[in-house]
Amino acid sequence: EIVLTQSPGTLSLSPGERATLSCRASQSVSSSYLAWYQQKPGQAPRLLIYGAFSRATGISDRFSGSGSGTDFSLTISRLEPEDFAVYYCQQYGSSPPWTFGQGTKVEVK
Amino acid sequence: EVQLVQSGAEVKKPGESLRISCQGSGYNFSSYWINWVRQMPGKGLEWMGRIDPSDSYTNYRPSFEGHVTISVDKSISTAYLQWSNLKASDTAMYFCARQGTSWALAYYGMDVWGQGTTVTVSS
């Protein structure tokens, strides 16, 4: 099973600032099958990024993904009030079980 | 509109059985896996397993195998997550999410999620 480790656990930033979230895998993620999800309290997760860097339908270009192999990142270029949430990375490579990182909370400083 | 609609909140006692559902609409139900994801109170997301509606083939995370059963009725575009012997530790929110069965569609990740079903198990 591939273990995903996200850092930091919590990111305290102000609106307008840039956020960079990290996701490190215990082994290489096949074909960059790495996704990022946003979850707000009481809501289902929402797909932001798939294939490590492709934005899902309707997702703002403030969100960008990068990385390959074992190191991936999600960048939010300028934080808007609605961006404060928990973010999860997830790998869906060659075969199950799929795994999620433990999450990074982006909170208002 | 593509959507997954889950059944409502449940309150059960330990040892009881339960089946929750996830109904898809607005797309070809048989072309997408239905995944089940658990979120325990205040915790992160955990993939439990998935089912291919076209042939009912399943994969389970080892820690869930034997404790839950994933099934499907493709005639009504509905997937199920079932317990026969609930424990207090099953208290959680459960989400279903679709993912394409072909490699081309699978690349898009879990792109549509249900709203979640809260399960509370307490004596």
Side-chain angles (χ1 to χ4, degrees), chain A residues 47-91:
Chain A
L47 176 67
L48 298 176
I49 300 288
Y50 63 89
F53 57 84
S54 298
R55 273 187 298 277
T57 302
I59 300 303
S60 168
D61 60 6
R62 293 182 290 102
F63 293 90
S64 62
S66 63
S68 63
T70 60
D71 288 295
F72 299 88
S73 62
L74 174 71
T75 300
I76 311 171
S77 59
R78 298 171 310 281
L79 282 164
E80 296 287 339
E82 62 268 25
D83 298 336
F84 292 92
V86 179
Y87 293 84
Y88 295 95
C89 59
Q90 181 237 342
Q91 66 81 22

Side-chain angles (χ1 to χ4, degrees), chain A residues 1 4 10 14-15 30 36 53 59-60 63 66 77 94 97 108:
Chain A
E1 172 177 317
L4 299 179
T10 302
S14 301
S30 176
W36 290 92
F53 57 84
I59 300 303
S60 168
F63 293 90
S66 63
S77 59
S94 55
V108 179

Side-chain angles (χ1 to χ4, degrees), chain B residues 72-113:
Chain B
V72 70
D73 184 343
K74 65 181 180 181
S75 70
I76 55 171
S77 300
T78 301
Y80 302 97
L81 179 64
Q82 182 173 333
W83 296 259
S84 59
N85 181 16
L86 282 162
K87 304 180 190 310
S89 57
D90 294 316
T91 295
M93 175 75 83
Y94 293 87
F95 296 101
C96 62
R98 76 168 194 174
Q99 184 171 9
T101 53
S102 69
W103 277 108
L105 286 178
Y107 187 64
Y108 293 92
M110 297 183 194
D111 63 342
V112 177
W113 291 65

Side-chain angles (χ1 to χ4, degrees), chain A residues 1 30-33 35 37 39 42-47 50-54 88 90 92-102, chain B residues 6 35 37 39 43-48 50 59-62 93 95 99 102-104 106-116:
Chain A
E1 172 177 317
S30 176
S31 302
S32 295
Y33 275 42
Y37 300 87
Q39 188 181 32
Q43 296 186 15
R46 178 174 71 143
L47 176 67
Y50 63 89
F53 57 84
S54 298
Y88 295 95
Q90 181 237 342
Y92 54 105
S94 55
S95 60
W98 308 145
T99 49
F100 291 89
Q102 80 279 20
Chain B
Q6 298 186 229
N35 296 271
V37 176
Q39 188 167 40
K43 302 299 183 183
L45 305 172
E46 188 174 19
W47 182 82
M48 301 174 68
R50 65 177 184 172
N59 296 118
Y60 292 92
R61 187 183 197 87
M93 175 75 83
F95 296 101
Q99 184 171 9
S102 69
W103 277 108
Y107 187 64
Y108 293 92
M110 297 183 194
D111 63 342
V112 177
W113 291 65
Q115 82 278 18

Side-chain angles (χ1 to χ4, degrees), chain B residues 26-81:
Chain B
Y27 71 98
N28 183 352
F29 189 71
S30 293
S31 294
Y32 290 81
W33 294 94
I34 294 293
N35 296 271
W36 287 97
V37 176
R38 182 176 76 174
Q39 188 167 40
M40 299 178 77
K43 302 299 183 183
L45 305 172
E46 188 174 19
W47 182 82
M48 301 174 68
R50 65 177 184 172
I51 190 163
D52 181 342
S54 68
D55 61 6
S56 297
Y57 179 76
T58 54
N59 296 118
Y60 292 92
R61 187 183 197 87
S63 55
F64 289 100
E65 195 144 22
H67 184 56
V68 299
T69 301
I70 298 172
S71 60
V72 70
D73 184 343
K74 65 181 180 181
S75 70
I76 55 171
S77 300
T78 301
Y80 302 97
L81 179 64

Side-chain angles (χ1 to χ4, degrees), chain B residues 9-10 18 20 83 86 90-94 117-121:
Chain B
E10 301 275 1
L18 173 65
I20 62 175
W83 296 259
L86 282 162
D90 294 316
T91 295
M93 175 75 83
Y94 293 87
T117 297
T118 299
V119 173
T120 303
V121 183

